[in-house]
Amino acid sequence: MSAMEHAYVRPVDFKHGRVDMSHGAGGRAMAQLIEELFVPAFDNKWLRPMNDQACFAAPAGRMVMTTDSHVVSPLFFPGGDIGCLAVHGTINDVAMAGARPLYLSAGFVLEEGFPLAELKRIVLSMAHAAREAAVPVVTGDTKVVERGKGDGVFITTTGVGVVPPGVDISGDRARPGDRVLVSGTIGDHGVAIMSFRENLAFGTAIRSDTAALHGLVAAMVQAAPGIRCMRDPTRGGLATTLNEFARQSWVGFRLIESAIPVRPEVSAACELLGLDPLYVANEGKLVAVCPQRDAERVLAAMRAHPLGRDAAQIGEVIEDAHHFVQMRTAFGGVRLVDWLTGEQLPRIC
């Protein structure tokens, strides 16, 4: 569009305007939305050419790729929003392979009538999270659906990264005798969402733990390249993650309840809401399985990082033909930590 044509186009009204079908129709309104919102927010040399794809050099090594769709409700919550969550979640999925995240793509499905002010707030949050993590959003897509056929905004992000030589982290590598580590308190994100939905107060504000974990992972891998398994316990929480590892690796787990870090306010909220913190989603925590000989070294590296200050060793891998996750309770008994049945907390990420 020429400078003369620009003079006759009204700027997008981000204060009072709303998404309409023309914003996804491929015409002038869509071009304006892209040029006035997405390009300035995510600005980088890969996005700037405005092509339908991003072209970049791939470094040597094994590439990692992941994709994730984000449908959290509400869109804005204590400690974050769907924008930063979309960036953090995908960066973390790449990082759990021990990889260095390189680039992101972002796809938006917008509902007709969604306030442009809220869309701008979400996009700026995404852009801030991407810049802070030094992982740029290099390409994307926008679609609009009719009023009543969406829920404001859904975001799909895809990430790529590269695994350094000598690192082989996978859910099928746990071995009997290995130790289980968690990077901090569990259940913060899920309880923050649910408390906000239900308008509950617990004396102190419960905030989401959403964060990009690739810096923490890099420190852990540097301390012990032989880490076996790593995963961020999002939907289904810590319990589901360990059941996944047990099935993938054909082993069992024995946890110590008193060693698992849970904030008192999160524990109180779970008791009130009838939830088990072990099954509540996290967005800024990770679970790692490593050989016993490396456990103290990895734990020290975690605690030296701002996102791992509350890291703890919470159990061990055992031989078990049934692949059960067991936990020694604070009362001295043993209980089974089974797979989550049903949907404990819908629309959590």
Side-chain angles (χ1 to χ4, degrees), residues 146-349:
E146 295 88 344
R147 190 186 302 267
K149 294 189 177 180
D151 193 10
V153 56
F154 298 146
I155 304 175
T156 296
T157 41
T158 296
V160 295
V162 62
V163 180
V167 175
D168 185 12
I169 298 174
S170 176
D172 62 357
R173 300 192 67 242
R175 300 292 181 267
D178 289 349
R179 296 301 188 255
V180 182
L181 311 177
V182 65
S183 65
T185 55
I186 64 168
D188 297 4
H189 175 73
V191 169
I193 296 286
M194 186 56 68
S195 300
F196 192 64
R197 282 182 195 167
E198 302 299 330
N199 197 27
L200 299 176
F202 296 97
T204 58
I206 301 174
R207 297 173 63 82
S208 169
D209 59 351
T210 181
L213 297 172
H214 56 309
L216 173 61
V217 170
M220 294 168 63
V221 169
Q222 184 175 23
I227 293 171
R228 306 224 200 251
C229 314
M230 203 181 300
R231 194 158 295 171
D232 53 334
T234 54
R235 286 172 297 173
L238 175 65
T240 296
T241 295
L242 292 178
N243 273 282
E244 290 171 345
F245 285 164
R247 175 176 286 186
Q248 287 177 263
S249 295
W250 292 78
V251 295
F253 285 87
R254 183 184 293 122
L255 308 180
I256 302 170
E257 184 177 32
S258 60
I260 300 173
V262 184
R263 296 184 192 279
E265 57 269 35
V266 169
S267 181
C270 285
E271 186 173 348
L272 179 64
L273 296 167
L275 304 174
D276 185 337
L278 293 176
Y279 295 92
V280 176
N282 311 270
E283 288 293 345
K285 302 297 189 310
L286 62 81
V287 182
V289 177
C290 66
Q292 180 180 5
R293 66 178 181 275
D294 294 334
E296 289 302 322
R297 188 162 62 253
V298 175
L299 192 60
M302 295 168 79
R303 288 175 173 169
H305 191 279
L307 295 177
R309 283 191 294 259
D310 297 319
Q313 183 176 156
I314 63 170
E316 63 180 334
V317 182
I318 61 174
E319 290 188 20
D320 186 348
H322 300 290
H323 321 313
F324 287 155
V325 177
Q326 307 169 41
M327 183 168 71
R328 182 164 294 282
T329 70
F331 299 104
V334 176
R335 77 173 177 96
L336 188 66
V337 180
D338 206 352
W339 290 89
L340 178 65
T341 302
E343 180 67 79
Q344 184 174 230
L345 291 174
R347 304 285 301 279
I348 211 73
C349 58

Side-chain angles (χ1 to χ4, degrees), residues 41-100:
F42 297 130
D43 185 46
N44 56 69
K45 66 181 181 180
W46 302 276
L47 186 68
R48 217 168 290 143
M50 301 276 288
N51 293 319
D52 288 340
Q53 70 291 120
C55 185
F56 51 80
R62 291 176 295 134
M63 298 297 293
V64 171
M65 179 178 178
T66 188
T67 192
D68 201 358
S69 295
H70 304 272
V71 298
V72 64
S73 176
L75 299 174
F76 305 94
F77 47 83
D81 54 65
I82 192 173
C84 66
L85 188 69
V87 170
H88 293 157
T90 298
I91 286 175
N92 292 346
D93 284 348
V94 171
M96 292 307 110
R100 176 168 62 95

